[in-house]
Amino acid sequence: MTVQLEAKRVGLIFLECLIRKGENSNPNNAVRGINGLRVEFSPLRLTQHTAEIQELIAQLPARFARDRGASFLGLGEDVRGRVWTSSDAVKEQLVLLGIAIGKMRFLLEQEDWAHLPGGVPHVVVL
């Protein structure tokens, strides 16, 4: 499966994976994003999309590689320098999906983000 990193695809996967009304919810499994956003994903649908999410994340620039990370603001470009989104909301959706499958994390804890340029977190691809 080869899928291109695109805002529309990230948004569709994000919506598909969200926990739905009537499903068994476990708030302890919620993923915390930027600005306090907390979302919970369906474990089954997240698993079904894991390979595709990994492919999307693999298209991010090398500067997001393990241990270094880079500013969240730079997530809108792919490895070729092509802008795939300018929407912070869509970038956050990709980060939340990545965190949920264990392939992304924030470099620092939220209380330390204020020390970073613009108070914006750095993201690491694992």
Side-chain angles (χ1 to χ4, degrees):
M1 173 191 331
T2 301
V3 64
Q4 185 169 342
L5 182 57
E6 295 177 334
K8 183 177 180 179
R9 189 66 196 140
V10 170
L12 289 172
I13 294 170
F14 182 81
L15 290 175
E16 171 67 22
C17 290
L18 285 174
I19 199 87
R20 297 180 184 151
K21 186 176 181 177
E23 291 181 324
N24 289 334
S25 178
N26 183 351
N28 292 329
N29 291 337
V31 179
R32 187 195 74 209
I34 301 168
N35 298 322
L37 177 67
R38 292 181 61 82
V39 297
E40 186 179 349
F41 296 108
S42 159
L44 174 63
R45 289 190 300 282
L46 194 62
T47 299
Q48 292 170 342
H49 285 283
T50 295
E52 188 174 6
I53 295 166
Q54 288 175 320
E55 280 190 50
L56 296 171
I57 291 169
Q59 295 174 53
L60 293 172
R63 66 181 175 266
F64 290 97
R66 183 179 307 224
D67 297 331
R68 293 186 307 175
S71 173
F72 170 82
L73 298 176
L75 276 170
E77 291 183 7
D78 68 13
V79 70
R80 297 178 313 246
R82 177 185 65 90
V83 175
W84 65 272
T85 188
S86 59
S87 167
D88 286 345
V90 174
K91 290 184 277 188
E92 185 168 18
Q93 289 173 349
L94 181 62
V95 171
L96 290 169
L97 289 165
I99 291 170
I101 65 167
K103 294 298 179 182
M104 294 181 89
R105 68 176 178 85
F106 293 114
L107 186 61
L108 300 172
E109 296 297 323
Q110 188 171 11
E111 55 269 10
D112 296 323
W113 295 353
H115 302 292
L116 297 170
V120 179
H122 281 213
V123 179
V124 178
V125 173
L126 306 172

